[in-house]
Amino acid sequence: MPGGCTLTDSAAAQGAAAEQRAAALAQIGRTCSVNEERIVAVESPADGSPGREIYEFECADQPFGLTGFFPVAGGSGEVEAFDCFTMDARGLECQFVSRDTISNELTRMVTASQRNCNVVDYRVVARMANLEGDVAEVKCDDGRGWFGEFPDDRQAAGQLVPCAAAARQGDECVL
């Protein structure tokens, strides 16, 4: 019947949307060779305006995992991306990247900063003042712990202080 309804190929529509999300991540400088993705939540601003969809991505090139915030249709929010280490402080536990995997990556960062620590647990406290990383506590397998900076480039930890010294500065280690 000419001019009649046609059904949308949902797989094609989902694939196109996934490609748009990957392109949006690339535009903000976050690479992700997507293996898998899942929607985690939708932000709902208090003023009732359209929020953002939050997706988690499994990326071959992102050992800390990746989450992305994408404005919904009609929304005005910005695209943002954070790894699963940062999202831990926001209460999101990623499913594609385990805490053990993140602990192993933190061990690599601490070791790259000339410290000896096999990280067995961690707690993200806050974003760094310059918003270019996270402040966190890490617990080592020998019972020691460090409190310090973990820059977003995730190459090496920044300033780290033993938990005893952190306590004297007013920062509390609890792990």
Side-chain angles (χ1 to χ4, degrees), residues 43-56:
E43 285 184 323
S44 299
D47 66 5
S49 64
R52 297 183 295 177
E53 294 176 327
I54 305 170
Y55 279 81
E56 177 188 2

Side-chain angles (χ1 to χ4, degrees), residues 18-133:
E19 287 176 11
Q20 289 174 341
R21 285 188 290 276
L25 289 172
Q27 285 179 342
I28 62 168
R30 296 303 290 259
T31 59
C32 178
S33 298
V34 180
N35 294 330
E36 194 172 347
E37 68 175 29
R38 71 181 182 99
I39 189 162
V40 176
V42 177
E43 285 184 323
S44 299
D47 66 5
S49 64
R52 297 183 295 177
E53 294 176 327
I54 305 170
Y55 279 81
E56 177 188 2
F57 299 92
E58 179 183 34
C59 311
D61 50 348
Q62 295 288 339
F64 280 89
L66 191 64
T67 60
F69 291 67
F70 304 93
V72 297
S76 60
E78 294 181 23
V79 174
E80 291 184 286
F82 301 99
D83 65 23
C84 292
F85 180 61
T86 297
M87 290 304 293
D88 188 70
R90 292 184 173 195
L92 173 72
E93 186 171 332
C94 290
Q95 292 182 7
F96 297 140
V97 176
S98 69
R99 286 186 64 86
D100 286 343
T101 298
I102 292 174
S103 291
N104 290 338
E105 289 297 316
L106 294 172
T107 296
R108 179 190 53 74
M109 289 179 71
V110 171
T111 301
S113 296
Q114 309 306 312
R115 303 293 196 284
N116 184 18
C117 174
N118 182 29
V119 177
V120 294
D121 201 3
Y122 62 88
R123 175 178 69 98
V124 180
V125 177
R127 290 292 285 163
M128 290 169 41
N130 64 7
L131 301 179
E132 294 180 0

